[in-house]
Amino acid sequence: LCAGARQLGTPHIPGLTIVYLPPLGDPAQAAHWRNIILHQMEGPAGAAKGGALAQAKNPTRRGTTLWIETDGIVYWSVPETAIPTHGDGANRKDNKYIDNRDTYRQVVGANSLGIEFAGNYPDVRKPATEAQREALSKLLPFLQERYRIPAERIYAHNWIDYKDARYCEGCELGELARKLN
């Protein structure tokens, strides 16, 4: 894993199907990644591929770097040096989900790698699929090693920024990610 996390191009991540739309470069050039934010989109199964392709055409549009389909396929949509528009608020200062002293106005899109999970349409409270959770368990160690991100710097979207009163976006995934450590 350590050697693979430093590779250029399209590194193989054991047990994971990953589609690199751009190849990876030198991880030192992407040293701005200090956090990971987990998102869930209101999109049907199949929406991750479409979202990733649209993101690849316009890397700074609203979206994320990585997209995970309901079947567990991961799409790396933009160069790791690009900064998509996501997580720009970091406006939670209510300690509703986690202690926000360290995240308020600190965990933002410019320093946070975003991962989007597709498939919770039409019920936004629908959890990630087992295949998505399994993909996350393989992807996170790679990202953490590549960018030196500790587990405590992995966040659910709702932990750092308000989105939707109907559900806590990414909370189940954030809890899983931190348990994986």
Side-chain angles (χ1 to χ4, degrees):
L1 180 66
C2 294
R6 297 280 162 238
Q7 287 181 348
L8 307 180
T10 57
H12 173 69
I13 301 172
L16 187 65
T17 301
I18 185 164
V19 177
Y20 293 94
L21 297 177
L24 300 184
D26 179 357
Q29 299 298 313
H32 55 275
W33 300 131
R34 294 187 14 232
N35 311 292
I36 296 172
I37 301 175
L38 304 173
H39 301 268
Q40 288 178 278
M41 67 186 286
E42 277 188 71
K49 181 178 182 180
L53 291 170
Q55 193 76 50
K57 290 179 184 172
N58 183 3
T60 59
R61 77 184 272 276
R62 183 150 189 85
T64 60
T65 300
L66 294 137
W67 301 71
I68 301 181
E69 191 49 74
T70 54
D71 61 5
I73 294 175
V74 175
Y75 294 90
W76 198 302
S77 64
V78 298
E80 60 194 323
T81 54
I83 301 175
T85 306
H86 78 100
D88 286 337
N91 61 6
R92 284 210 90 101
K93 197 175 181 182
D94 59 8
N95 295 333
K96 183 173 181 178
Y97 300 106
I98 63 170
D99 181 345
N100 295 107
R101 285 178 290 188
D102 295 334
T103 62
Y104 184 66
R105 303 281 187 234
Q106 300 301 309
V107 179
V108 296
N111 65 17
S112 303
L113 192 64
I115 303 173
E116 186 80 66
F117 292 78
N120 69 347
Y121 175 84
D123 181 2
V124 295
R125 291 165 299 191
K126 182 179 175 185
T129 66
E130 182 60 36
Q132 287 173 314
R133 289 190 296 272
E134 182 67 25
L136 182 63
S137 74
K138 306 278 191 257
L139 179 62
L140 278 178
F142 176 84
L143 297 174
Q144 289 179 267
E145 179 66 28
R146 187 167 181 88
Y147 305 114
R148 309 282 193 234
I149 299 172
E152 62 269 12
R153 296 198 64 88
I154 300 171
Y155 302 98
H157 182 200
N158 260 51
W159 292 353
I160 58 118
D161 197 10
Y162 178 79
K163 180 179 180 190
D164 195 323
R166 296 175 293 171
Y167 76 121
C168 182
E169 182 187 349
C171 292
E172 173 201 5
L173 297 165
E175 290 166 8
L176 171 65
R178 288 194 174 185
K179 284 179 189 173
L180 292 172
N181 197 12

